[in-house]
C-alpha cells in the first residue's frame, strides 16, 4: 500500500505495479536529553526534485512520563505536505495525536516509563531536491534519557515524478 492525499487528508491505497518503495531502518539507539530538536540521523532520505512521496514512519522510543517525546520533519526547500500521527497521548491512551500538521510543527507523544511507538504518515511534494529527515527531542526538558530505538523505520513510496 501507498499513501495518497487530496491535499487535506491522507489515506492508504493499493500500490501500482513498479512502485518505487524504500525501507530506511534505525540500526542503533539514539539518545536525547533536552527539548531542542535533534535529527534522528538514520531516518532520512534524499528526495528528488518535482516528486511526490508517501511516507510511513514507525518510531519505537523509550522515555519517562515527565519528558515525553516530540517529533517533526525537516523537508527540502519549498516542499509541501500533510502529516498525521497516532500513538500514546500524554494520558497514556492510544489516540490520533496530530492531523494535517505542516513540516516543522512539533508532534508530542506521551511517555509511559517504558517503550512505546508512534506511527507518523506523511505526504511530501517537492519542488527542490533535498533531504527529508525525522527529528526528535524531549517534549519537556529532563535529565532522563529519551531514545529513538533500533527497529524504528521509514517506508518511503515514490508516488509520481
Amino acid at each position: 500500500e501507498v499513501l495518497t492525499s487530496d491535499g487535506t487528508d491522507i489515506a492508504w491505497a493499493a500500490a501500482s505495479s513498479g512502485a518505487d518503495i524504500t525501507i530506511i531502518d534505525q540500526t542503533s539507539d539514539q539518545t536525547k536529553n533536552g527539548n531542542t530538536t535533534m535529527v534522528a540521523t538514520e531516518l532520512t532520505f534524499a528526495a528528488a526534485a518535482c516528486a511526490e512521496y508517501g511516507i510511513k514512519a514507525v518510531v519505537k522510543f523509550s522515555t519517562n512520563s515527565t519528558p515525553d517525546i516530540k517529533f517533526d520533519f525537516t523537508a527540502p526547500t519549498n516542499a509541501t505536505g500533510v502529516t498525521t500521527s497516532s500513538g500514546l497521548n500524554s494520558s497514556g491512551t492510544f489516540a490520533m495525536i496530530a492531523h494535517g500538521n505542516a513540516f516543522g510543527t512539533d508532534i508530542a507523544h506521551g511517555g509511559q516509563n517504558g517503550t512505546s511507538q508512534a506511527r507518523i504518515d506523511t505526504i511530501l511534494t517537492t519542488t527542490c531536491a533535498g533531504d527529508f529527515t525525522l527529528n526528535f527531542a524531549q517534549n519537556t526538558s529532563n535529565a532522563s534519557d529519551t531514545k529513538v530505538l533500533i527497529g524504528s523505520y521509514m517506508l518511503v513510496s515514490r508516488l509520481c515524478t
Side-chain angles (χ1 to χ4, degrees), residues 3 10 12 22-25 40 43-45 54-61 71-73 83-87 107 109 117-123 132-135 148 151-157:
L3 285 172
I10 59 178
W12 286 97
T22 304
I23 298 172
I24 302 161
D25 292 311
L43 299 178
T44 187
F45 74 96
I55 303 154
K56 173 179 143 181
V58 175
V59 184
K60 298 178 181 182
F61 61 90
F71 304 101
D72 73 9
F73 289 103
T83 299
T84 299
S85 180
S86 58
I107 302 169
H109 282 261
Q117 74 178 30
R119 175 175 164 168
I120 306 167
D121 297 320
T122 302
I123 292 290
F132 183 83
T133 306
L134 173 75
N135 305 299
V148 168
S152 298
Y153 65 90
M154 284 198 312
L155 178 63
V156 180
S157 306

Side-chain angles (χ1 to χ4, degrees), residues 13-144:
S16 60
S17 61
D20 184 8
I21 299 173
T22 304
I23 298 172
I24 302 161
D25 292 311
Q26 180 83 14
T27 59
S28 62
D29 293 349
Q30 191 170 6
T31 302
K32 176 66 178 172
N33 298 101
N35 60 0
T36 301
T37 302
M38 175 178 150
V39 172
T41 57
E42 294 182 77
L43 299 178
T44 187
F45 74 96
C50 301
E52 186 174 56
Y53 297 89
I55 303 154
K56 173 179 143 181
V58 175
V59 184
K60 298 178 181 182
F61 61 90
S62 67
T63 184
N64 288 332
S65 57
T66 298
D68 295 340
I69 192 167
K70 64 182 177 182
F71 304 101
D72 73 9
F73 289 103
T74 301
T77 302
N78 297 323
T80 59
V82 178
T83 299
T84 299
S85 180
S86 58
L88 294 179
N89 60 24
S90 59
S91 301
T93 304
F94 184 82
M96 177 74 68
I97 305 295
H99 178 73
N101 281 32
F103 301 131
T105 302
D106 293 343
I107 302 169
H109 282 261
Q112 298 304 309
N113 295 315
T115 302
S116 190
Q117 74 178 30
R119 175 175 164 168
I120 306 167
D121 297 320
T122 302
I123 292 290
L124 167 69
T125 304
T126 62
T127 55
C128 303
D131 289 338
F132 183 83
T133 306
L134 173 75
N135 305 299
F136 82 99
Q138 293 178 332
N139 193 41
T140 304
S141 190
N142 186 278
S144 63

